[in-house]
Amino acid sequence: MSATTSTPVGDTERVRAMLGSADAGRKRTDRMMTGLIYAAFVVAMIPLVSLLWTVVIRGIERFSPYFLSVSMRGVFGGMDAGGIYHAIVGTLVITLVAAAISVPIGLLTAVYLVEYGRGPLARVTTFFVDVMTGIPSIVAGLFAFALFAIFFGPGVRLGVAASVALSVLMIPVVVRSSEEMLRLVPNELREASYALGVPKWLTIIKVVLRTSVAGLTTGVLLSIARVIGETAPILITAGYADSINFNPFEGRMATLPVYIFTQYRQGTVPCAPGALDCVEDINLMRAWAAALTLILIVMLLNLVGRLVTRFFAPKLR
Amino acid sequence: MAQRIDVKDLNIYYGDFMAVQGVSMTIDPKSVTAFIGPSGCGKSTFLRTLNRMHEVIPGAHVEGKVEMEGVDLYGPDVDPVAVRRSIGMVFQRPNPFPTMSIRDNVLAGVKLNNKRISRSDADDLVESSLRGANLWNEVKDRLDKPGSGLSGGQQQRLCIARAIAVKPQVLLMDEPCSALDPISTLAIEDLIQELKQDYTIVIVTHNMQQAARVSDRTAFFNIAGTGKPGRLIEMDETATIFSTPKEKATEDYVSGRFG
Ligand SMILES: Nc1ncnc2c1ncn2[C@@H]1O[C@H](COP(=O)(O)OP(=O)(O)OP(=O)(O)O)[C@@H](O)[C@H]1O
Ligand SMILES: [Mg+2]
């Protein structure tokens, strides 16, 4: 208070003028930048929306409970039949097994790096995780294929081989994202726990992992999203099948991306004129509907992740 | 229940850096001991060595002895986890577990250790600890709400309740009031006076009045210059330290001439 009263009148005037006058140039820049940012947003949305639109419009044609619940067994030519049940099963089984392999390995690696890792071993681990991040998926597929060929003979095609190939791609993503999440847990919480006489391993499980579980879930889901659309490594390792196979340890397996790929490759069917049960572009229609299904599965996964996050996130009130 | 602590020739290191040198002191049971001294002189560091919290920092180690009732806490067969169970700690910044309710925060020492406890025992423990920390009346209707939804002062008292729920013999407090308003500070000072009946309390504070108000004995730490280790300059009855200290540095510090 006393500061304002002791200010000379001229100063007061100046301050008032300064506060009241709007800087026209700055306002213009502000408006321009706002416009630019909105424009950038719209430009970024165009491909996304158009992609979704195309997939939905084309996929919806064949998308039906029937399509979701039958396999391609005994379907040939332009037959107005067949579905993706076997491919959904394959995608879920292979991805689940891949996650079952990668999540423990990735999470434990991250825990090691954040909670225990010191010195050369930690640096080497970090380095190799970085290297793994850059492995092209086809190389991962070849690796898994070669690995299983050693044990089961050349030319073996197994669902679990595909899972191993996907794990090679998943593990670095899980390690990286989990590591970041674990580092976000404030040290104060660890110390609070130690100070209560809680051993380190229990502190890690019940405080560190528990506090970061929402972020960890997001990381795992991201890594799943990263591999669920992989085609090449699965084609190499699990091949393709027309019929349903629940067992990743025996026989070929189809997945949605590979299904899409094979359907697309078959292209249009030359129908004999007047043939009743023949749709010319049935294969392409199936491919689009399968693509739609794949997108829906990923969205469903994200929804589950959101729910987990909401349920486990630290609450304030 | 409360125990006496003897520190003998303790040197404390962060890696190669010696942060505190040659501290010897005795901490009496069922009394309040205050640590004062300028920033960076190693009060927190020394406090954390008393319950082996110092060594959770990579590279940190000590030389010398910290004895509780004659047992060297740094002896080869002493489990740091057990030490921390009998010597509790309250930190400068309140740090309730954000994923836990108020009730679970109080029970954290039990639950995190996977110990079984009956519902009624748990209820009793929660109530007695919260009453002990002067927080019961404020939170008794919202025990299932998250602990991080409390005010800073309430959170700090929650942390005290959490620390006394494991029934330690000694309670270490590192500037427990530095983030609190005068009313919460008074509440905690009253609390310290009550806790003194059962616990040995060591408190670090920058507030001379606080040290004078709550403590029975006061230890003054000082540092000769940056990069030099902190030392214990003098330790005596609080009244003596604040009226007729033996050392010039202590007198200068408590009278506000430096630090
Ligand atoms: N984690 C650490 N690693 C390395 N050096 C540290 C660490 N913590 C503290 N130190 C150093 O140890 C010395 C003592 O620090 P300490 O935190 O014990 O001081 P303090 O007396 O508690 O100060 P304040 O009153 O500001 O809290 C300082 O020189 C500080 O830089
Ligand atoms: Mg300190």
Side-chain angles (χ1 to χ4, degrees), chain A residues 64-117:
Chain A
S64 67
Y66 168 79
F67 182 71
L68 293 178
S69 60
V70 299
S71 73
M72 289 297 282
R73 186 163 207 156
V75 178
F76 56 86
M79 257 170 85
D80 187 6
I84 54 169
Y85 183 59
H86 62 308
I88 295 179
V89 168
T91 291
L92 293 184
V93 168
I94 288 179
T95 315
L96 222 72
V97 174
I101 300 172
S102 336
V103 171
I105 296 181
L107 202 57
L108 288 176
T109 309
V111 166
Y112 168 75
L113 287 176
V114 175
E115 304 289 336
Y116 296 93

Side-chain angles (χ1 to χ4, degrees), chain B residues 47-114:
Chain B
L47 191 74
R48 288 165 57 96
T49 57
L50 296 181
N51 69 341
R52 296 192 65 167
M53 282 296 288
H54 179 62
E55 66 203 48
V56 307
I57 295 166
H61 60 106
V62 303
E63 287 166 357
K65 277 190 176 164
V66 179
E67 289 178 352
M68 185 151 101
E69 293 297 303
V71 180
D72 183 8
L73 298 183
Y74 285 86
D77 50 350
V78 171
D79 179 6
V81 172
V83 171
R84 291 175 204 140
R85 268 178 210 161
S86 47
I87 307 183
M89 184 155 203
V90 176
F91 297 83
Q92 181 166 354
R93 290 227 316 245
N95 52 2
F97 296 113
T99 53
M100 294 185 192
S101 65
I102 292 173
R103 186 186 142 87
D104 286 348
N105 260 293
V106 178
L107 293 174
V110 178
K111 294 209 160 170
L112 293 179
N113 274 314
N114 279 340

